[in-house]
Amino acid sequence: MAFLVTGGCGFVGCNLAAELLRRGEEVVIVDNFTRPGTPLNYAWLQTLGKFDFFHGDVRNSQDLEVIFRDKKIDCVFHLAGQVAMTTSLANPRRDFEVNVLGSINVLEAVRLHAPDATVVYASSNKVYGELDEATLEEKPTRWEPTGKKGIDEHARLEFYTPYGCSKGAADQYMLEYARNFGVNSVVFRHSTIYGGRQISTFDQGWVGWFCQQAMQTRDNPDHTFTVNGDGKQVRDLLHVSDAVACYLAAHEHREQARGQAFNIGGGYENSLSLRELFLHLQKELGVTMKPHQLPWRANDQKYFVADNSKALQHIHWSPKKTKEAGIADSIAWEFERRRG
Ligand SMILES: NC(=O)c1ccc[n+]([C@@H]2O[C@H](COP(=O)([O-])OP(=O)(O)OC[C@H]3O[C@@H](n4cnc5c(N)ncnc54)[C@H](O)[C@@H]3O)[C@@H](O)[C@H]2O)c1
């Protein structure tokens, strides 16, 4: 009985595959290496144990067929994806094909070849649009809701940007395949996942990206970088070790989780605005960061913090890593990458 990790050489995927290998599980990975840095994660995984690797593309149903015919798949962690909102605006067709067609291909492979398998899908907070119905107060370093702090799964679905549409469509297909075809699918809606082995870029993986900017400021105090919006936008940080635990919990508790969507994040106590991250990094690295403000990104939420109560109730999961410990991990990882 094997675990298939699509996108298993990406950030979340390789951390999940590493934990499965540590537990002695049979691991199968499919990845097409489109994300820069993925061959490094592949090489790292090879140092941890034996696994089956398919250099394939989830857009191609035959690539998945080959795997499902060859292996007895017990669980799919579907993490392969087009991951950036900005890229989805530049190439909406590709975004659609990877996220929607790729997800349908995964679901069809499960329906036809492994109907008892669990499928856990990494969806996004972007399925909730701008969330502009909540009343927010402007504080010196952040936007803060006047009402409840956590956003639960009853928030209105609203798909903005091609990325929001493609993640949202795949999210809904996952739930539909549970309803109509009996697939054991589970949806996690995340905002920010961060930690070791993330190859952050300016448009995806903001915690790692700003850790890099702080380190470059340490090398050159005149270093400047850009920030979209006022820097007061807030997200709850989910450390990748907690994300891994959550995916494993979904499979373990699949009876209670199947057919359900869960908001999964670090929770209010692990929430941070961009400005607050800069203040923290300045203290940790002894630098003065010089952000240069750009206009807001399309449909950026000013505030997203997950209410994790449903996940606690159904799959007995809650985040454990504090944001301080997690950011220390991200800094250490960025230093390790620099050393090569
Ligand atoms: N990291 C976050 O903060 C975050 C937040 C919300 C949702 N998510 C979702 O979680 C999942 C994993 O995110 P991540 O941060 O690990 O991203 P990542 O880019 O590091 O990993 C994605 C992996 O998928 C692979 N891939 C891309 N297109 C593929 C294709 N067509 N066929 C096969 N492989 C393909 C890439 O090479 C990469 O290894 C994604 O679906 C993402 O949208 C991540």
Side-chain angles (χ1 to χ4, degrees):
M1 296 297 246
F3 287 80
L4 170 63
V5 187
T6 74
C9 296
F11 162 51
V12 180
C14 79
N15 277 285
L16 193 42
E19 180 57 26
L20 290 167
L21 289 174
R22 276 185 210 111
R23 292 179 179 208
E25 301 289 357
E26 185 179 350
V27 177
V28 182
I29 289 176
V30 58
D31 202 298
N32 68 352
F33 285 160
T34 45
R35 175 83 182 217
T38 39
L40 286 179
N41 288 339
Y42 172 69
W44 173 68
L45 284 173
Q46 282 184 310
T47 68
L48 303 180
K50 281 210 175 314
F51 59 93
D52 287 291
F53 177 72
F54 290 81
H55 187 270
D57 193 316
V58 293
R59 286 174 291 184
N60 184 356
S61 58
Q62 283 169 355
D63 287 1
L64 292 166
E65 292 257 327
V66 168
I67 298 171
F68 278 81
R69 284 186 194 284
D70 195 42
K71 302 281 169 192
K72 177 95 185 70
I73 303 294
D74 193 31
C75 176
V76 185
F77 294 127
H78 179 34
L79 300 162
Q82 193 301 105
V83 296
M85 186 279 289
T86 44
T87 315
S88 80
L89 289 171
N91 193 342
R93 174 181 285 275
R94 184 172 171 276
D95 175 75
F96 169 84
E97 287 177 355
V98 175
N99 288 350
V100 187
L101 181 60
S103 297
I104 283 279
N105 284 340
V106 168
L107 283 167
E108 280 292 278
V110 168
R111 182 173 77 89
L112 298 172
H113 303 291
D116 295 329
T118 316
V119 184
V120 190
Y121 178 58
S123 182
S124 166
N125 60 320
K126 288 277 178 201
V127 303
Y128 296 126
E130 289 184 356
L131 285 168
D132 50 7
E133 64 269 27
T135 312
L136 299 177
E137 260 179 349
E138 188 169 5
K139 302 276 187 191
T141 60
R142 60 158 54 202
W143 291 97
E144 185 74 16
T146 50
K148 64 182 178 118
K149 306 293 186 201
I151 292 156
D152 66 23
E153 297 78 6
H154 296 106
R156 191 175 64 234
L157 291 177
E158 211 163 24
F159 302 165
Y160 291 162
T161 75
Y163 177 74
C165 290
S166 65
K167 293 302 280 189
D171 170 315
Q172 294 298 295
Y173 270 115
M174 291 287 154
L175 302 180
E176 179 55 21
Y177 268 62
R179 276 192 297 265
N180 260 315
F181 299 117
V183 170
N184 294 312
S185 43
V186 180
V187 170
F188 287 157
R189 296 175 181 152
H190 306 293
S191 62
T192 297
I193 310 174
Y194 74 116
R197 308 217 71 85
Q198 186 168 33
I199 314 288
S200 301
T201 61
F202 82 99
D203 58 2
Q204 209 260 343
W206 62 277
V207 174
W209 177 251
F210 291 126
C211 287
Q212 290 172 27
Q213 303 316 307
M215 288 162 67
Q216 287 181 36
T217 306
R218 212 170 72 134
D219 297 341
N220 169 15
D222 294 330
H223 175 70
T224 61
F225 57 95
T226 57
V227 170
N228 289 92
D230 59 12
K232 294 188 181 184
Q233 53 271 55
V234 171
R235 300 287 183 271
D236 55 331
L237 309 191
L238 177 68
H239 189 264
V240 69
S241 58
D242 282 324
V244 165
C246 192
Y247 280 79
L248 296 174
H251 178 55
E252 190 185 339
H253 301 288
R254 55 194 171 278
E255 286 302 320
Q256 299 92 299
R258 64 174 305 282
Q260 305 276 337
F262 299 89
N263 291 353
I264 300 290
Y268 183 73
E269 55 285 8
N270 291 312
S271 70
L272 208 63
S273 71
L274 274 58
R275 287 188 190 208
E276 289 162 354
L277 176 64
F278 300 160
L279 291 171
H280 182 79
L281 291 172
Q282 292 187 158
K283 195 153 56 80
E284 291 299 303
L285 295 177
V287 295
T288 304
M289 296 174 75
K290 298 194 173 69
H292 169 66
Q293 191 172 331
L294 294 179
W296 284 90
R297 279 189 177 155
N299 310 106
D300 206 1
Q301 293 160 349
K302 285 190 171 146
Y303 180 91
F304 186 88
V305 167
D307 176 342
N308 291 311
S309 328
K310 186 176 172 185
L312 180 61
Q313 199 190 343
H314 285 70
I315 60 173
H316 312 290
W317 173 90
S318 60
K320 301 282 180 280
K321 190 105 166 181
T322 65
K323 59 188 173 191
E324 292 80 10
I327 293 168
D329 268 5
S330 285
I331 294 172
W333 161 241
E334 294 297 343
F335 274 119
E336 188 183 326
R337 278 183 70 200
R338 277 188 164 202
R339 285 194 299 272

